[in-house]
């Protein structure tokens, strides 16, 4: 059966170069969607390959020189590699993983692989290194370079402008969603991959990643070894699918009532896997919709977060560009109110180091920060509190923004995501509305410890994190 082609509005050709005649393969550079299934970019690479009677080679790299490169992020990414390699092998695609361990190691593998390729397909992603690569590499690569949106369920390109909030993007997503909620139709690869399509000197540079080799591979890298791997998350497509299964069987039925109760563990914990593309949002959405229908459960709240909120974040990042890390991009009312309250005395003042070490006066805040230190995520409900208090206890709004971004860069496995920047800026009023005027916050929404205590089981959460901290730092 012929596969349904990837829809044209997911695909952006980013240069005008011509395909290489007599090429050996089509190259898919998996920058963000590091998976072999439910991947529109891989499907598009397969379409081009089949049309030209060529195999597909998937390239995944991991360098040592991105901001805050450390053992935690490296371990999680490397844990995903054996799954991708095995699943790609099973469909007849090639897989080339390269770990750039030091600043003097080769830094041109993409170009060397591209030198034999018909064309390059990569991920359309509006943040972090992928966004930079997609602006600089196409001009230098010499063959067609296409970016495919495999992150969003409704393609990013269908939103012509930046949305002001969930209320503006929601109707648009609802209109488009039914047609987008279909599994990715992956064409069967006609030409299977053979390693002898690459010269031996290039093959010799390929890094073989097995689960048992990961600690020594990480140790061999010139990165920050003081940030230990997450005590909670193991990377990879298999681990992601396991999380999804647990969510469906145990948590989905509790989600609408308990997702704002951190100690109840009713959320999916999928954000690190979604960030590194170990699982696709579309796969999750369809599994949740189908399971909910079959078991007569409500899935609306979860799908609102996974689709509307997440895709609002992608829409923001797409139009904000590099300004995602700046308060200048905020709506005027936010900037006005912050200007008015810039000199308000702060009730407590902490340095970035005190925040990082979780040594504030507030045990709930410290527990949320410890959750980040230990696990690499913070439960979504307390994450809002975490951000709001950093604003309240920092000398300036800019200091608060820097602290939040820095802590995400270093510790968050789901950091550097469109969701990171959008939600951090949400703490400063993005996608929100003006609230009653008060010190420091002005009209920005305020969150209090008493509110957290009233609405959530603060004591249970603190006890859980304290026990986990004791177990892992003993
Ligand atoms: C200050 C602050 C920083 C944040 N930083 C990040 C971040 O770095 N990376 C990140 O993925 N999320 C971030 N969030 C949003 C949210 O907290 C996380 O997405 C969520 O807690 C992840 O846990 P989960 O996978 O169990 O979520 P679930 O409740 O199971 O939701 C499923 C998925 O929906 C999406 N989602 C959930 N809540 C939101 C939201 N508010 N906005 C957009 N998408 C959402 C995520 O992809 C999530 O994995 C941040 C929120 C705040 C307030």
């Amino acid at each position: 059966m012929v596969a349904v082609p990837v829809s044209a509005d997911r695909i952006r050709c980013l240069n005008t170069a011509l395909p290489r005649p007599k090429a050996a393969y089509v190259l898919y550079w998996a920058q963000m969607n590091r998976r072999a299934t439910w991947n529109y970019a891989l499907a598009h690479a397969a379409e081009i390959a089949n049309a030209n009677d060529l195999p597909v080679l998937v390239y995944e790299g991991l360098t040592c020189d991105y901001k805050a490169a450390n053992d935690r992020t490296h371990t999680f990414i490397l844990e995903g590699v054996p799954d991708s390699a095995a699943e790609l092998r099973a469909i007849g695609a090639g897989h080339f993983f390269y770990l750039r361990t030091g600043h003097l190691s080769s830094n041109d593998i993409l170009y060397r692989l591209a030198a034999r390729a018909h064309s390059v397909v990569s991920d359309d992603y509006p943040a972090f290194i992928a966004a930079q690569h997609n602006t600089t590499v196409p001009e230098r690569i010499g063959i067609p370079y296409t970016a495919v949106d495999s992150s969003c369920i409704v393609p990013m390109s269908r939103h012509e402008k930046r949305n002001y909030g969930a209320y503006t993007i929601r109707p648009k997503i609802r209109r488009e969603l039914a047609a987008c909620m279909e599994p990715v139709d992956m064409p069967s690869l006609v030409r299977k991959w053979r390693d002898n399509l690459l010269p031996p000197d290039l093959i010799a540079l390929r890094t073989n990643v097995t689960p048992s080799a990961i600690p020594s591979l990480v140790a061999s890298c010139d990165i920050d070894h003081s940030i230990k791997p997450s005590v909670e998350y193991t990377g990879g497509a298999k681990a992601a699918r396991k999380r999804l299964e647990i969510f469906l069987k145990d948590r989905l039925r509790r989600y609408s009532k308990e997702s704002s109760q951190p100690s109840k563990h009713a959320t999916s914990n999928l954000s690190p896997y979604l960030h590194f593309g170990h699982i696709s949002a579309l796969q999750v959405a369809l599994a949740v919709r189908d399971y909910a229908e079959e078991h007569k459960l409500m899935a609306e709240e979860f799908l609102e977060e996974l689709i509307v909120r997440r895709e609002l974040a992608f829409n923001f990042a797409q139009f904000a560009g590099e300004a995602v890390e700046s308060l200048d991009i905020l709506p005027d009312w936010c900037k006005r109110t912050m200007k008015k309250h810039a000199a308000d005395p702060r009730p407590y003042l902490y340095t970035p180091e005190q925040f990082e070490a979780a040594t504030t006066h507030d045990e709930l805040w410290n527990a949320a920060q410890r959750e980040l230190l230990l696990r690499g995520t913070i439960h979504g409900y307390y994450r809002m509190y975490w951000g709001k208090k950093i604003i309240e206890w920092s000398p300036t709004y800019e200091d608060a923004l820097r602290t939040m971004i820095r802590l995400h860069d270093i510790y968050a496995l789901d950091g550097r995501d469109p969701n990171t920047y959008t939600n951090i800026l949400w703490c400063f009023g993005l996608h929100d509305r003006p609230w009653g005027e008060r010190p420091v916050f002005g009209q920005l929404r305020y969150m209090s410890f008493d509110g957290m205590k009233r609405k959530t089981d603060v004591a249970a959460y603190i006890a859980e994190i304290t026990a986990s901290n004791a177990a892992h730092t003993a």
Side-chain angles (χ1 to χ4, degrees), residues 6-158:
V6 175
S7 96
D9 56 9
R10 286 195 184 276
I11 302 169
R12 288 195 301 144
C13 190
L14 299 181
N15 63 8
T16 53
L18 296 174
R20 183 181 318 288
K22 298 207 188 118
Y25 44 80
V26 171
L27 186 62
Y28 166 42
W29 181 22
Q31 299 190 70
M32 294 311 302
N33 288 310
R34 294 170 179 251
R35 62 175 180 270
T37 57
W38 294 81
N39 187 332
Y40 283 114
L42 180 61
H44 185 56
E47 286 168 0
I48 302 172
N50 285 348
N52 291 279
D53 200 21
L54 292 171
V56 169
L57 175 62
V58 178
Y59 170 56
E60 269 188 85
L62 178 57
T63 184
C64 55
D65 63 2
Y66 62 91
K67 193 166 55 157
N70 61 44
D71 283 17
R72 174 169 298 184
T73 317
H74 259 53
T75 300
F76 191 85
I77 294 175
L78 286 167
E79 284 165 346
V81 176
D83 293 350
S84 304
E87 292 177 14
L88 287 164
R89 221 176 7 254
I91 60 168
H95 183 246
F96 192 110
F97 181 82
Y98 173 64
L99 180 66
R100 182 168 173 250
T101 53
H103 300 268
L104 297 177
S105 317
S106 307
N107 196 19
D108 61 351
I109 303 298
L110 172 72
Y111 292 92
R112 289 173 72 178
L113 293 172
R116 292 159 184 273
H118 167 278
S119 51
V120 177
V121 176
S122 195
D123 300 318
D124 204 354
Y125 188 83
F128 193 42
I129 301 182
Q132 282 165 28
H133 283 153
N134 289 348
T135 59
T136 54
V137 176
E139 289 318 306
R140 296 164 54 194
I141 202 92
I143 47 176
Y145 184 106
T146 308
V148 178
D149 176 1
S150 201
S151 295
C152 291
I153 298 175
V154 174
M156 281 181 277
S157 69
R158 293 201 193 165

Side-chain angles (χ1 to χ4, degrees), residues 32 65-70 72-74 77 125-131 275-276 314 317 324-325 383 404-422 424:
M32 294 311 302
D65 63 2
Y66 62 91
K67 193 166 55 157
N70 61 44
R72 174 169 298 184
T73 317
H74 259 53
I77 294 175
Y125 188 83
F128 193 42
I129 301 182
H275 174 64
F276 287 108
F314 274 78
V324 287
E325 297 200 28
R383 213 162 181 169
M404 284 189 236
I405 293 178
R406 179 174 168 273
L407 292 177
H408 271 76
D409 282 348
I410 299 174
Y411 295 102
L413 281 176
D414 56 6
R416 307 179 174 100
D417 191 273
N419 267 353
T420 314
Y421 306 107
T422 306
I424 286 176

Side-chain angles (χ1 to χ4, degrees), residues 255 267-271 305-306 380 383 408 414 419-420 423:
Y255 190 85
T267 69
S268 69
N269 290 339
L270 282 171
S271 56
E305 300 296 343
L306 178 73
R383 213 162 181 169
H408 271 76
D414 56 6
N419 267 353
T420 314
N423 280 286

